[in-house]
Amino acid sequence: GHHPKDTQRHMINNPQVKINGHRAVNEYYLTLYQGRTMDGYEFDLTTWSVTLDLYERRDGNWRICKRSNIYEKDRLDPHVPGSVPQSYYDSLDLSRYPQAIRFHCYRNEKSSGQLPKNLIMKGSPEEAAARREVAAWVAAR
């Protein structure tokens, strides 16, 4: 669950749209800003990713058919500088999470009890496959 003081904002910027007939792709940067209380401490969590949305026009309406997020990095900072002891960070076992977004995964597991599934990391073979799928999607008519 979430603490009553928790906050969340998704900031979307730099959209790049490609349209070919009834298909389109929108690639944009997504920055997630969260205020989270975990283990009795208040944190600011930031996650950077790229989103790939595949669209199709059906009966005159554009609909998202698939969304993929490519994760780049994250940060977990004390909401008030110096309010979280280094021993807290040292005690976290984040080894089972992808290094680039370990705090994001930890937060997900703490709040929902589940790890994110099908993560795509920047520079990975999964990113290359997602970008091939985007190119094929927008090329098809």
Side-chain angles (χ1 to χ4, degrees):
H2 293 292
H3 190 275
K5 291 167 68 173
D6 288 354
T7 61
Q8 179 167 293
R9 297 287 181 270
H10 289 82
M11 306 301 287
I12 296 170
N13 55 60
N14 200 34
Q16 299 173 15
V17 179
K18 295 177 186 170
I19 300 173
N20 184 11
H22 66 279
R23 288 194 169 184
V25 62
N26 183 18
E27 178 175 341
Y28 53 90
Y29 299 136
L30 177 66
T31 307
L32 169 61
Y33 297 100
Q34 292 186 330
R36 283 291 183 262
T37 301
M38 296 184 299
D39 305 316
Y41 297 108
E42 291 182 38
F43 295 96
D44 292 329
L45 170 69
T46 310
T47 303
W48 291 267
S49 61
V50 172
T51 301
L52 304 172
D53 285 341
L54 303 182
Y55 291 84
E56 189 168 40
R57 186 171 49 207
R58 298 179 189 161
D59 300 321
N61 297 308
W62 288 98
R63 303 277 190 229
I64 297 174
C65 296
K66 184 174 183 180
R67 172 170 286 157
S68 300
N69 285 311
I70 300 164
Y71 293 94
E72 296 181 0
K73 71 178 221 170
D74 70 355
R75 291 183 54 103
L76 182 67
D77 300 301
H79 182 67
V80 175
S83 63
V84 179
Q86 184 60 42
S87 59
Y88 173 80
Y89 293 101
D90 294 343
S91 71
L92 296 177
D93 178 8
L94 305 175
S95 62
R96 67 184 174 278
Y97 310 125
Q99 176 69 22
I101 60 162
R102 61 195 181 276
F103 300 117
H104 180 87
C105 291
Y106 178 73
R107 187 267 315 159
N108 270 24
E109 193 171 35
K110 288 288 284 184
S111 65
S112 70
Q114 298 178 9
L115 288 172
K117 294 180 174 65
N118 304 316
L119 292 172
I120 302 173
M121 305 306 301
K122 183 178 181 179
S124 70
E126 292 81 9
E127 178 187 8
R131 292 193 176 280
R132 284 191 303 274
E133 179 182 21
V134 163
W137 176 265
V138 80
R141 286 182 159 258

